[in-house]
Amino acid sequence: LKIMSTLTIPEYNERTTVSRQIFYILVQRAPPTGQTYGREFLERQALLLDDFLYKLASTMEDYGDLNTLEPRLLEATSMIMQSPGFSAASVLAEFFDESES
């Protein structure tokens, strides 16, 4: 993983675009359970998911493909939820309930 300060400008722009799009997806998919997730919380989750997708991607083109972003988020979330000890898994499950798909 590259530290943000070591990214080239195009890589930084790509990461910013993808993480912003993830944030918008989280806002759109926020569960109507009465639980209100604050902007800061959603931004943190977006950055965590972005980092996970970045690590999984074989190329920057794959990582930055906004046409496949939501399916990749579903897959990433499923992988994260299966990770032992991941405390945010139950929260992510609310956003990516596969029964809605």
Side-chain angles (χ1 to χ4, degrees):
L1 173 69
K2 289 185 178 180
I3 307 289
M4 288 295 250
S5 64
T6 64
L7 295 174
T8 65
I9 290 174
E11 287 173 328
Y12 177 81
N13 291 340
E14 190 76 22
R15 299 275 323 252
T16 302
T17 299
V18 172
S19 63
R20 191 174 297 138
Q21 190 62 36
I22 292 170
F23 172 78
Y24 293 136
I25 290 170
L26 291 176
V27 168
Q28 291 171 352
R29 293 184 70 112
T33 60
Q35 171 66 40
T36 304
Y37 295 98
R39 181 179 181 88
E40 186 176 312
F41 172 82
L42 293 177
E43 287 173 344
R44 271 195 316 269
Q45 297 308 306
L47 290 174
L48 289 170
L49 287 166
D50 170 74
D51 192 51
F52 196 76
L53 291 178
Y54 182 74
K55 290 175 183 177
L56 287 177
S58 55
T59 66
M60 278 302 280
E61 288 176 350
D62 289 341
Y63 161 76
D65 185 358
L66 298 180
N67 293 320
T68 63
L69 182 57
E70 198 155 348
R72 288 185 294 126
L73 281 172
L74 289 169
E75 182 180 346
T77 302
S78 177
M79 292 171 69
I80 290 169
M81 288 187 293
Q82 293 173 15
S83 299
F86 190 76
S87 61
S90 61
V91 172
L92 288 173
E94 292 181 41
F95 285 86
F96 295 99
D97 180 7
E98 293 183 17
S99 65
E100 295 177 10
S101 301

